[in-house]
Amino acid sequence: MDCGPFLGIHTEAAVRFGQVNEIDINYALANTITVQMRLGMFDGEPSAQRYGNLGLADVCKPSSNELALEAARQGIVLLENRGNSLPLSTMRHRTVAVIGPNSDVTETMIGNYAGIACGYTTPLQGIARYTRTIHQAGCTDVHCNGNQLIGAAEVAARQADATVLVIGLDQSIEAEFRDRTDLLLPGHQQELVSRVARASRGPTILVIMSGGPIDVTFAKNDPRIGAIIWVGYPGQAGGTAIADVLFGTTNPSGKLPMTWYPQNYVANLPMTDMAMRADPARGYPGRTYRFYKGPVVFPFGLGLSYTRFSHSLAQGPTLVSVSFTSLVA
């Protein structure tokens, strides 16, 4: 299976040089055409086919929209909650400053390999359903090549009872055929976060929108940043889901699906080396939580909750007796 252009470009030459058998291509093509036939794609004009007239009414059903919202809620990961800064309160936090290059985005939230969304609720719109908002982007986009807009963001943070910073990445920085070269926030985003957190009158909440890990050690160690949540690319209802978690309508339950490494990790292994296990002889640190044992920003599987849990070891029996009946005649 190939999702890119390589089969179309290279398959003919591969057959010619004996690297691929033509019969294998025929089998693969037969599988594809069989599925297309089951879908009725050869049954006359598209309008006469079983799935030829599907439209928005078939896709954008209330049940489908609710599923998108629930998926976004369940995917949000609470990474840090210093001093129970979250959830926010509509009584105490009557005005919230919503700041950051991803604070009012739409298409960014669906990432890639997605169809046309039925509609969007941005983080700003989601938060505005709970309380009054003051909005400043802080950067023109996620590249954040200048810091000219940070001053206005600081003013907004001083005027609000709480500040929510929605930062991170988008498909212009991480995507298929577009690899990142470091693990840091792009441009002046770190400066934006630190300055706004210093200016904020109330608790500062960091919301990270990205597909991959980001070294936010500076934010993790900043006592003025009360909570950090990671939302991935949360889809069309992402803004609603983010706001529901921020204000406690939804109890976060997501777990981090990958290790978040520090920036110096990428200096110790070439991108082309896919070895999983560490090799101390050559200074290779290994990959993933199974083999990399060095310092991390956030570990694989981390995910906090607003619920407090207590654990204790149950006392099990020392002897277990199992009775069975023979089935032999």
Side-chain angles (χ1 to χ4, degrees):
M1 185 179 70
D2 175 66
C3 295
F6 295 101
L7 288 178
I9 296 173
H10 301 292
T11 304
E12 183 179 354
V15 172
R16 195 164 56 244
F17 289 110
Q19 297 170 320
V20 176
N21 295 322
E22 189 172 342
I23 187 64
D24 294 327
I25 298 174
N26 292 339
Y27 283 140
L29 182 60
N31 291 334
T32 300
I33 294 176
T34 299
V35 174
Q36 293 175 336
M37 291 177 68
R38 290 177 176 174
L39 293 172
M41 293 177 64
F42 301 106
D43 298 340
E45 294 297 323
S47 59
Q49 297 172 10
R50 179 180 178 185
Y51 300 106
N53 290 309
L54 295 179
L56 290 178
D58 302 287
V59 178
C60 298
K61 295 180 178 180
S63 59
S64 302
N65 292 333
E66 181 61 30
L67 180 62
L69 174 57
E70 185 59 25
R73 286 169 174 159
Q74 292 189 27
I76 291 176
V77 183
L78 179 61
L79 298 172
E80 188 85 37
N81 194 16
R82 185 180 287 113
N84 293 323
S85 298
L86 289 178
L88 299 176
S89 167
T90 55
M91 298 299 294
R92 290 183 290 110
H93 306 113
R94 297 181 181 274
T95 301
V96 173
V98 185
I99 295 168
N102 280 335
S103 60
D104 197 28
V105 294
T106 53
E107 286 92 347
T108 295
M109 293 194 299
I110 64 173
N112 58 7
Y113 290 95
I116 299 173
C118 298
Y120 294 102
T121 303
T122 72
L124 174 63
Q125 292 170 335
I127 295 170
R129 293 178 176 178
Y130 283 90
T131 189
R132 190 174 79 87
T133 58
I134 306 171
H135 179 239
Q136 288 291 334
C139 302
T140 55
D141 53 37
V142 294
H143 293 271
C144 204
N145 290 322
N147 61 2
Q148 299 88 343
L149 302 180
I150 297 180
E154 291 175 298
V155 172
R158 294 190 189 101
Q159 297 173 342
D161 300 315
T163 299
V164 176
L165 279 153
V166 191
I167 60 165
L169 313 175
D170 65 14
Q171 296 296 299
S172 69
I173 291 178
E174 57 174 6
E176 190 167 2
F177 281 99
R178 185 172 291 124
D179 295 322
R180 295 163 60 193
T181 57
D182 62 54
L183 296 175
L184 300 176
L185 284 168
H188 291 268
Q189 282 198 53
Q190 179 170 330
E191 178 186 354
L192 170 67
V193 172
S194 296
R195 285 175 56 179
V196 167
R198 189 162 52 246
S200 181
R201 191 176 75 194
T204 300
I205 312 302
L206 191 63
V207 178
I208 301 172
M209 193 177 296
S210 70
I214 301 174
D215 185 350
V216 289
T217 301
F218 78 96
K220 183 180 176 182
N221 295 336
D222 189 339
R224 293 162 298 198
I225 296 176
I228 303 174
I229 67 174
W230 178 69
V231 300
Y233 292 120
Q236 66 179 40
T240 300
I242 291 169
D244 287 349
V245 168
L246 291 176
F247 285 90
T249 303
T250 296
N251 189 2
S253 61
K255 305 300 179 186
L256 204 59
M258 68 285 199
T259 301
W260 282 32
Y261 303 96
Q263 165 64 14
N264 60 13
Y265 173 80
V266 299
N268 294 322
L269 76 172
M271 188 179 296
T272 53
D273 193 333
M274 293 291 106
M276 301 298 289
R277 288 175 170 79
D279 184 358
R282 60 188 182 96
Y284 185 76
R287 293 180 181 270
T288 79
Y289 72 97
R290 292 189 61 196
F291 304 108
Y292 172 73
K293 304 304 179 184
V296 300
V297 181
F298 293 113
F300 169 86
L302 175 65
L304 305 179
S305 169
Y306 297 150
T307 302
R308 294 183 179 179
F309 300 93
S310 61
H311 303 274
S312 61
L313 293 175
Q315 184 64 45
T318 57
L319 179 65
V320 177
S321 177
V322 178
S323 61
F324 64 94
T325 301
S326 176
L327 298 180
V328 180

